[in-house]
Amino acid sequence: MTATREYLRQAASAGLADEAAGFGFVADRCDDPFTGRRQVLVEYCDPGLPASPAALEALRTALRARGHEADAVLLRVAGDHRLPTPWRPRLTYVRHDRSPATGAANTSSPVGLTVRRATRADDPRVRDWLVQAFRNAYPGQEIRSGHPGVADIMAAPGRLSFIAELHGEPIGHGTVLTSEQDSVTGEEFAELVDTLVDDAQSRRAAIAALVAAAVEATEGRPLCGHVVHPYEPEAARGADSVLRALVAGDWSVDHCFWESPW
């Protein structure tokens, strides 16, 4: 990950830039919008920091010395680099390789499966699917249709949603935000924020078709997605399985936010 000079300049001006064991980093308080968990987000660090256990511990010491009150630290780590205990993955971003969709090619589509662009009339259904997706990612949280995380997606100017139908009946969606920008690198990209399919028998084929539609609609810019790693062991294992399947197909890990107790 290469931070832009403007990003680093602004971080320094705001007093958010610091160093630990000789490595630079940028950090600020950023609580989890779904759980309310108090967090300090290390949005950027020099590439060598995650590879050094001593630097990782020095980072936590430096953050505590700032006087923050928090429950956890989130550290953005480029690529598929694994961190030692007590760090654990919390949110992994993946990037589509833009090759022909192997998932769609290797999955036989059920008769009657189609994908179309969503219309305004589909908004209530898309909103319900997004609510369900966030409830799946954050078990035990009371997430309703008016939650800011859901409302922001629905209101995003660059939102594109696709509807998977089986014999004309909607069974799932894929929703893409087409005008995103990485605040650290400055890169513009599209984000596939959710795919959810209710019909279990058609799920694999429908998701492959929804991803293929997102790839085609966002040609010319990177397409990213993400996997949330829940705390509950069973849900966490499910997220790991999803991530392994993505990486075995058309996706690769771009970066991951790793969490450590305060």
Side-chain angles (χ1 to χ4, degrees), residues 21-45:
F23 296 101
F25 68 87
V26 175
D28 197 9
R29 178 76 176 264
C30 183
D31 294 350
D32 189 303
F34 291 96
T35 67
R37 189 174 175 85
R38 300 179 304 169
Q39 301 173 154
V40 173
L41 170 63
V42 183
E43 191 175 47
Y44 167 81
C45 68

Side-chain angles (χ1 to χ4, degrees), residues 33-228:
F34 291 96
T35 67
R37 189 174 175 85
R38 300 179 304 169
Q39 301 173 154
V40 173
L41 170 63
V42 183
E43 191 175 47
Y44 167 81
C45 68
D46 287 342
L49 191 154
S52 169
L56 288 170
E57 187 56 36
L59 171 67
R60 297 204 311 158
T61 300
L63 292 174
R64 289 193 292 267
R66 286 184 170 194
H68 288 296
E69 292 184 3
D71 302 309
V73 178
L74 281 181
L75 171 63
R76 175 173 169 164
V77 178
D80 200 12
H81 182 77
R82 310 291 295 181
L83 299 192
T85 305
W87 296 89
R88 49 157 293 156
R90 182 61 177 146
L91 181 64
T92 300
Y93 276 85
V94 292
R95 180 181 295 243
H96 198 275
D97 66 13
R98 288 285 175 188
S99 64
T102 59
N106 295 335
T107 304
S108 58
S109 294
V111 175
L113 176 65
T114 58
V115 170
R116 62 171 175 82
R117 285 276 186 100
T119 66
R120 285 189 176 274
D122 295 303
D123 279 359
R125 185 177 284 114
V126 171
R127 185 180 293 107
D128 287 345
W129 276 319
L130 287 171
V131 169
Q132 185 58 54
F134 283 121
R135 287 176 178 171
N136 293 344
Y138 298 92
Q141 299 300 313
E142 187 58 43
I143 298 170
R144 301 184 182 276
S145 60
H147 190 284
V150 176
D152 288 349
I153 292 173
M154 293 300 299
R159 176 175 67 89
L160 282 179
S161 292
F162 300 91
I163 305 297
E165 295 184 333
L166 190 62
H167 302 298
E169 291 297 322
I171 60 170
H173 85 120
T175 291
V176 188
L177 302 183
T178 62
S179 304
E180 302 301 282
Q181 185 175 42
D182 190 313
S183 60
V184 178
T185 67
E187 180 183 49
E188 295 182 347
F189 66 98
E191 183 177 357
L192 182 59
V193 292
D194 185 45
T195 56
L196 193 149
V197 174
D198 294 328
D199 187 276
Q201 291 184 329
S202 306
R203 183 169 295 140
R204 184 178 177 186
I207 288 177
L210 288 165
V211 171
V215 170
E216 182 179 1
T218 58
E219 185 176 359
R221 64 176 50 201
L223 176 65
C224 294
H226 67 268
V227 176
V228 177

